[in-house]
Amino acid sequence: MDRIRYDSIGPARVMHLYDPSIPFHAWLVIDNTARGPALGGVRITPEVTPEEVARLARTMTFKSAIADLPLGGGKAGIVFDSRDPDTETVVRRFARLIADIGDYIPAPDMGSDETSMTWIRQETGRAVGLPADLGGLPLDQLGATGFGLAVCAETVCRHLDMPLAGARVAVQGFGNVGSAAARFLTQKGAVLVALSDRQGTAWNPQGLDLDAALAARASGDDPVAAAGGSLLERDAIFGVDCDILLPAATADVIREDNQQQIRARMVLEGANIPATLQAEKALAGRGVLVVPDVIANAGGLIMAEAEHRGADKDEAFRRIEEKLLSNTERILVQSQQEGRLPRQTAERIARQRVLQAMGNGGRPRAVQRLSTSSSSGSSRN
Ligand SMILES: NC(=O)c1ccc[n+]([C@@H]2O[C@H](COP(=O)([O-])OP(=O)(O)OC[C@H]3O[C@@H](n4cnc5c(N)ncnc54)[C@H](O)[C@@H]3O)[C@@H](O)[C@H]2O)c1
């Protein structure tokens, strides 16, 4: 955990959870709660690290602040393969370990979904992104983040004076975010020329068969094969000739050593922290506009906050549209005026809001004892 960065905002708590009976490790990072409870996803992958969870928790703090939601930022990571048949047992045990961390609200992320949120809700009494029959707004099923990304794309296109209709889109990672973004973008007239998942990239400059890819994904088949076109290796997606590149998988996939392959005019960060800061700077230097995660993929968070307040689906979509449009416009204009990257401007505004809340009665909450009453091991860093 020596690579976790601590600063004037947080993280307030870094918890290592271990259940020897399965066994599995998990991490929970509460970055900051000055503006409200820490809402953030539960990532379940074999590769997740405490550093990744801490960076993602900070992203949530900034995303909530930029969207002006009464929330802080947190994130959990369970080191496990969510395709394993023991996933339910692991998720339920994880939920019991965090049951008394009342200012963390779990939400879906990579490897978790409405079903996992139901298990967590049953064990802890809290979670968002629940199925509709439990009174939730199933944000992945509804495509909240993908919808927001399409609004963001439309706004950036207006800013660049280019039409979204006919724009060529490449989507990396055909999961909840990537598939929904592809659906909403093509509804607005964009053309899906490439999509990738773990198994490879499908590419057709004339447009892929999105319906076939969506149907394959829904039935557990391979969307890359179903989409038609040429089959390329997985990371070939970054070099595809397109207007909009939309990373929607995992962290740090765009780095200084591969950013030069990118031929898109803009990168919309559907995933959280998909690019390193050095890569974002290099892309900006080549005239590629990068809309950072804290702006572009806020749709799911906005819907989760609406669900937490008891708002309905229509209000949630309305708020996503309003906030994505105004925040994207504001960041594009302001970053241009400041001569900074959109990320730098967005994070400066977010940091200011969080610090203000910390100083103005938004007191950092009392640090809880990290050991739980269960048999788990916990440690603070
Ligand atoms: N679900 C949301 O509403 C939401 C909101 C904001 C941000 N995000 C972020 O978006 C990203 C994706 O989340 P999701 O909910 O869609 O997860 P998901 O698990 O549904 O989808 C991720 C997809 O990416 C694929 N993938 C993994 N590694 C890959 C690689 N190297 N190349 C190509 N494909 C790869 C996986 O097979 C999977 O299909 C994450 O970074 C998440 O934090 C999600």
Side-chain angles (χ1 to χ4, degrees):
M1 293 203 284
D2 54 341
R3 289 175 56 223
I4 292 178
R5 293 177 62 177
Y6 294 83
D7 63 14
S8 54
I9 286 181
R13 277 165 284 162
V14 178
M15 286 160 257
H16 181 188
L17 309 165
Y18 175 63
D19 187 324
S21 66
I22 298 199
F24 72 91
H25 290 268
W27 305 91
L28 174 62
V29 177
I30 308 285
D31 183 51
N32 190 289
T33 53
R35 292 177 54 91
L39 191 151
V42 179
R43 178 161 294 196
I44 310 175
T45 65
E47 303 90 15
V48 69
T49 64
E51 292 79 14
E52 183 182 349
V53 177
R55 288 171 65 206
L56 292 164
R58 172 56 54 87
T59 304
M60 296 310 290
T61 303
F62 283 162
K63 206 183 296 182
S64 298
I66 270 286
D68 208 9
L69 301 172
L71 294 172
K75 201 86 178 184
I78 305 178
V79 187
F80 201 71
D81 187 337
S82 60
R83 292 166 296 188
D84 190 294
D86 279 339
T87 299
E88 177 172 353
T89 311
V90 167
V91 171
R92 285 187 183 277
R93 286 191 188 246
F94 162 78
R96 275 178 243 143
L97 295 175
I98 61 155
D100 60 349
I101 317 285
D103 56 1
Y104 170 61
I105 305 169
D109 193 72
M110 282 182 80
S112 62
D113 57 13
E114 288 87 6
T115 308
S116 352
M117 291 308 114
T118 305
W119 301 330
I120 294 177
R121 170 67 172 260
Q122 285 166 353
E123 301 294 339
T124 66
R126 60 186 199 280
V128 290
L130 292 163
D133 57 7
L134 289 182
L137 295 176
L139 52 99
D140 282 334
Q141 241 170 51
L142 295 169
T145 303
F147 173 76
L149 283 157
V151 174
C152 181
E154 210 168 24
T155 312
V156 181
C157 282
R158 222 177 8 255
H159 180 81
L160 295 178
D161 204 16
M162 70 179 249
L164 178 56
R168 298 160 305 154
V169 179
V171 173
Q172 184 241 6
F174 202 65
N176 291 313
V177 172
S179 62
R183 192 158 51 84
F184 286 111
L185 281 163
T186 52
Q187 278 170 15
K188 289 181 186 288
V191 181
L192 181 69
V193 293
L195 73 85
S196 75
D197 210 277
R198 288 180 196 271
Q199 54 278 49
T201 291
W203 172 63
N204 182 349
Q206 309 309 319
L208 293 168
D209 188 343
L210 176 60
D211 288 340
L214 290 170
R217 178 174 184 267
S219 58
D221 293 331
D222 179 359
V224 176
S230 313
L231 188 61
L232 311 178
E233 56 133 348
R234 189 191 69 185
D235 290 345
I237 187 103
F238 297 115
V240 160
D241 193 11
C242 63
D243 300 300
I244 303 174
L245 173 65
L246 201 153
T250 187
D252 295 334
V253 292
I254 302 174
R255 302 169 306 274
E256 235 179 335
D257 64 341
N258 71 350
Q259 61 76 24
Q260 71 280 0
Q261 296 171 26
I262 292 173
R263 295 155 79 185
R265 206 161 157 198
M266 70 176 93
V267 176
L268 294 189
E269 296 189 344
N272 286 313
I273 52 170
T276 63
L277 184 60
Q278 288 76 11
E280 288 187 5
K281 283 182 179 164
L283 285 165
R286 295 202 289 112
V288 181
L289 180 56
V290 181
V291 187
D293 45 15
V294 291
I295 298 285
N297 73 30
L301 176 64
I302 295 166
M303 182 168 281
E305 192 273 335
E307 176 182 343
H308 190 54
R309 274 189 293 113
D312 68 10
K313 178 177 87 172
D314 293 341
E315 188 197 327
F317 274 113
R318 235 185 351 263
R319 286 191 32 114
I320 294 171
E321 183 150 28
E322 280 164 18
K323 283 185 184 285
L324 263 292
L325 201 155
S326 62
N327 286 342
T328 306
E329 251 168 24
R330 176 176 178 195
I331 293 304
L332 293 179
V333 170
Q334 212 162 321
S335 62
Q336 226 168 15
Q337 286 166 352
E338 293 175 358
R340 309 177 85 183
L341 300 182
R343 171 176 300 284
Q344 291 169 322
T345 297
E347 291 191 356
R348 182 185 58 70
I349 296 168
R351 184 177 286 277
Q352 225 167 32
R353 288 182 179 171
V354 174
L355 288 172
Q356 205 170 19
M358 289 170 79
N360 284 352
R363 295 177 301 281
R365 304 195 173 189
V367 174
Q368 300 184 12
R369 283 177 59 77
L370 292 174
S371 55
T372 63
S373 54
S374 74
S375 60
S376 71
S378 298
S379 66
R380 183 162 61 193
N381 210 355

